[in-house]
């Protein structure tokens, strides 16, 4: 870290913290705690939209020719095998990972 930033941080945090900052930090923590489910729902919705768009583009590519159809078939097979390998090999070899 740059020495100037390090000295600045040491000087800023060496003094006592103003009570308003502590109150603001507590309010911010509470807001983040209660807004967590909303962020989870938005993440799920955005994942769903991305998967739907990829499916639409895959359907469009399949109608263009057999080469795209074969490439998507191979890509799907690779994804299935990789996920199955991840679940079986990684999950059962390291008991701490579950």
């Amino acid at each position: 870290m740059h020495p100037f930033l390090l000295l600045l941080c040491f000087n800023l945090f060496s003094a006592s913290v103003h009570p308003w900052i502590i109150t603001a930090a507590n309010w911010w923590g509470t807001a983040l705690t209660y807004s967590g489910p909303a962020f989870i729902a938005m993440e799920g919705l955005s994942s769903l939209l991305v998967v739907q768009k990829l499916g639409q583009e895959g359907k469009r590519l399949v109608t263009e020719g057999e080469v795209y159809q074969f490439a998507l078939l191979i890509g799907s097979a690779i994804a299935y095998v990789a996920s199955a390998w991840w679940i079986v090999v990684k999950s059962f070899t390291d008991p701490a990972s579950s």
Side-chain angles (χ1 to χ4, degrees):
M1 181 182 269
H2 197 272
F4 172 74
L5 293 176
L6 191 60
L7 287 173
L8 179 69
C9 288
F10 284 156
N11 287 332
L12 285 177
F13 295 112
S14 64
S16 63
V17 179
H18 197 277
W20 286 0
I21 295 176
I22 294 174
T23 305
N26 286 335
W27 284 354
W28 182 248
T30 304
L32 287 178
T33 300
Y34 290 130
S35 64
F39 286 124
I40 292 170
M42 286 188 291
E43 180 184 8
L45 183 62
S46 63
S47 297
L48 180 65
L49 291 174
V50 167
V51 168
Q52 283 181 341
K53 186 61 179 173
L54 286 174
Q56 289 173 355
E57 290 300 316
K59 277 185 178 182
R60 187 185 61 78
L61 281 175
V62 164
T63 59
E64 287 188 14
E66 288 187 17
V67 174
Y68 292 116
Q69 198 171 20
F70 187 69
L72 286 171
L73 178 68
I74 297 298
S76 298
I78 290 171
Y80 281 125
V81 169
S83 63
W85 175 82
W86 184 266
I87 290 171
V88 172
V89 174
K90 287 293 197 176
S91 296
F92 294 127
T93 56
D94 187 14
S97 67
S98 60

